[in-house]
Amino acid sequence: MDVEKYIASGILELYIAGILSDKENLEIANYAKEYPEIQKEIEAIEASILELSRKASPGYNYSFKSLMNRINKEVKVVSINDKRGTPLLSYIGLAASVLLAVGLFWMYQQNQDLKSEIELVEKQNVDLEQQIADTDSSLEQTQDLLNSLRDKNISVTTLGGQDISPTSYAKAYWNKENKKVFIDAKGLPEPPDGFVYQVWSLKLSPLTPTSMGLLEDFATDENKVFALNNPNDSEAFGITLEPAGGSEAPTLEQLYTLGVVSAS
């Protein structure tokens, strides 16, 4: 049973007001014995009604049980033409206090529900604003990337697939002036768990590899374009599959792509 939801339903106020059926009253009484939170809430509501009743009818200081007994007795028995005007008005005032308390609680619940709806809408608006901001940021980054790849100083090297993966391919966009290389690795398969692609700058004679870095977060990178620093005088580029963290020297048996830089 969801006790908090049960308490918030407002049924306890109706129980205290005495307008539920005998079956419902018995059910709530059993719940109050089983769940201390329900009993505590009942006592809190009774205390609130007593306080409200004292303010509505000064001079009367009953226990909650005697208050309800008098309300039920007087409201049912006393005729509207009864000449005992002051006691009748007092008891009617007490009864009205109980109904007022129930009504106030209902209004409070409606207000709380409205607040919850407003908070939900506000959260949705914040989420939407964040999505728009992320989209704007992504578009800006994409535009910056396109501008970099279209720079007149860029040289493009195609890296073809090797024996271990003949269908693999990649491209290296090298800007010698700012010493950066953009690796378009869209043509590489996703690396297995525990492995990562490593990019190498190569001197061909003699063969001298220099690590340029790792293609990290490969699986989560949507465009598969990675920016790496390259201060080397590269004659070729190669990409190998290495254990996570990379290697000091390339594992040639795991060479996926290789391409020679144009002599232009």
Side-chain angles (χ1 to χ4, degrees):
M1 176 181 178
D2 189 336
V3 175
E4 291 186 3
K5 186 175 181 180
Y6 187 78
I7 291 174
S9 69
I11 193 170
L12 297 183
E13 284 71 23
L14 300 178
Y15 166 72
I16 290 170
I19 58 177
L20 297 179
S21 66
D22 291 341
K23 181 180 178 182
E24 289 172 318
N25 289 334
L26 180 60
E27 180 182 73
I28 294 175
N30 290 333
Y31 282 151
K33 293 178 181 178
E34 184 177 357
Y35 300 100
E37 302 96 321
I38 293 179
Q39 180 60 39
K40 184 177 179 181
E41 182 68 17
I42 290 174
E43 293 172 357
I45 296 170
E46 289 176 350
S48 298
I49 293 175
L50 272 175
E51 181 62 24
L52 187 60
S53 298
R54 291 190 186 101
K55 292 180 179 179
S57 300
Y60 290 87
N61 190 21
Y62 305 117
S63 66
F64 185 81
K65 182 176 181 181
S66 63
L67 169 65
M68 297 306 294
N69 287 338
R70 286 178 177 274
I71 290 173
N72 292 331
K73 179 180 178 181
E74 294 298 331
V75 171
K76 291 177 181 177
V77 175
V78 178
S79 168
I80 191 65
N81 296 318
D82 197 299
K83 302 302 182 181
R84 296 173 296 167
T86 301
L88 176 59
L89 290 176
S90 297
Y91 296 136
I92 291 175
L94 295 176
S97 298
V98 175
L99 296 178
L100 176 60
V102 174
L104 289 175
F105 177 81
W106 181 84
M107 292 177 64
Y108 171 79
Q109 287 297 108
Q110 294 297 310
N111 188 49
Q112 290 299 108
D113 292 342
L114 180 59
K115 285 183 178 179
S116 298
E117 291 176 5
I118 292 174
E119 289 175 359
L120 177 60
V121 172
E122 288 178 347
K123 183 180 184 304
Q124 291 173 341
N125 288 340
V126 170
D127 291 343
L128 180 59
E129 289 174 0
Q130 185 60 51
Q131 290 176 12
I132 293 172
D134 291 343
T135 300
D136 288 344
S137 176
S138 177
L139 289 173
E140 184 177 348
Q141 292 174 0
T142 301
Q143 188 61 49
D144 289 343
L145 176 60
L146 288 174
N147 291 337
S148 297
L149 298 183
R150 290 167 178 166
D151 190 286
K152 64 179 181 179
N153 296 311
I154 286 282
S155 65
V156 183
T157 301
T158 300
L159 284 64
Q162 302 300 296
D163 291 343
I164 192 170
S165 183
T167 59
S168 293
Y169 63 92
K171 283 189 176 182
Y173 296 83
W174 182 18
N175 190 321
K176 294 183 181 181
E177 286 195 1
N178 63 20
K179 300 179 180 179
K180 280 191 174 294
V181 170
F182 294 91
I183 300 294
D184 181 357
K186 195 75 172 179
L188 292 174
E190 188 172 321
D193 291 341
F195 288 86
V196 64
Y197 287 116
Q198 189 165 356
V199 183
W200 304 89
S201 168
L202 304 173
K203 293 287 287 186
L204 298 178
S205 184
L207 182 61
T208 308
T210 302
S211 176
M212 292 168 49
L214 307 176
L215 305 186
E216 296 183 290
D217 301 322
F218 188 92
T220 57
D221 192 300
E222 292 185 3
N223 57 30
K224 299 292 188 292
V225 176
F226 302 84
L228 302 172
N229 293 322
N230 183 34
N232 310 289
D233 186 14
S234 306
E235 295 178 354
F237 297 108
I239 301 178
T240 60
L241 184 67
E242 305 291 344
S247 302
E248 293 185 4
T251 304
L252 296 180
E253 295 81 4
Q254 295 293 323
L255 179 64
Y256 272 66
T257 61
L258 177 67
V260 177
V261 177
S262 172
S264 59

